[in-house]
Amino acid sequence: MRDYKLELEARVKWIQERLADAHCSGIVYGNSGGKDSALVGILCKKACDNTVGIILPCASKRNFGEDMKDGLEVAEQFGIETRTIDLTETRQTLLDQIKKNNPNDLTDAAISNMAPRLRMTTLYTIGQSEGRLVAGTGNRDEIYVGYYTKYGDGGTDFNPIADLTVGEV
C-alpha cells in the first residue's frame, strides 16, 4: 500500500531541491486543465508559493472552454496564480510566414507540433524573465510511448510526475 503522505512530502522536497540547485525563486507550468497539469500545479504550489500556471490557448478547438474552466478551478482551490496568454495569432502569423517562404506543403504533424513549441517558448520566456523553473507535466506513459513534442512539451527544467503512470496520476 502506498503512503501518499510520504510520497507527497518526498516530491515536494525534491522540487524544493531543484529550485535551490538552480538558484530560482519560483516555478511556471502550462495549466492545460487536465489531470497531469493539475497534479503538477498542486505539487509545485506545495513546494513553492511562487508558482504560476499559464493557460496557453493556441488555435484550440476541442473542449477548450471546459479545459480552461477545470484549470481555473484547480488553481483557485489551491491558490495558484494563473495567467492566460492566447498564442492563436502568433501561431497563425508564423504559419503564414512559413507557407509564404516555403515551396513545400507543410505536413499535418509539422503544423500540429507548432503549438507545443510555442507554448514552451512562452513558458521559458516567462521563467527566465522571472527567475522561475519550468515544470513539465508529462506522465510516464506519455514519455514511454513518445507522446510529446521534441523541444515542446518534452523540454522542461524538471518534471515531478515523470515516474507516474496515467493510472497513478
Side-chain angles (χ1 to χ4, degrees), residues 4-131:
Y4 291 106
K5 183 176 184 223
L6 284 178
E7 190 168 340
L8 172 67
E9 290 170 2
R11 287 179 193 278
V12 165
K13 182 179 181 208
W14 182 80
I15 294 168
Q16 290 168 336
E17 289 169 353
R18 304 291 70 76
L19 282 168
D21 290 347
H23 305 287
C24 288
S25 61
I27 300 169
V28 61
Y29 72 99
N31 182 351
S32 70
K35 65 181 177 289
D36 292 337
S37 71
L39 180 56
V40 167
I42 293 164
L43 290 169
C44 289
K45 180 65 177 188
K46 287 185 177 296
C48 175
D49 195 48
N50 188 15
T51 293
V52 61
I54 311 293
I55 296 174
L56 297 157
C58 187
S60 303
K61 296 175 186 158
R62 192 187 69 172
N63 297 330
F64 182 71
E66 185 177 323
D67 290 344
M68 180 183 261
K69 179 178 164 275
D70 291 345
L72 289 170
E73 282 180 16
V74 170
E76 183 179 337
Q77 182 178 350
F78 289 90
I80 301 168
E81 178 188 349
T82 303
R83 304 176 198 162
T84 301
I85 300 172
D86 191 338
L87 300 171
T88 302
E89 285 183 40
T90 303
R91 178 188 171 275
Q92 190 59 52
T93 299
L94 181 58
L95 190 55
D96 291 345
Q97 286 298 309
I98 293 169
K99 285 180 178 179
K100 184 169 113 177
N101 294 291
N102 184 17
N104 302 309
D105 290 335
L106 300 179
T107 65
D108 290 341
I111 293 168
S112 67
N113 282 318
M114 288 176 69
R117 290 186 177 118
L118 288 171
R119 289 182 178 114
M120 197 52 62
T121 297
T122 303
L123 294 176
Y124 269 99
T125 301
I126 291 168
Q128 193 168 30
S129 298
E130 299 178 5

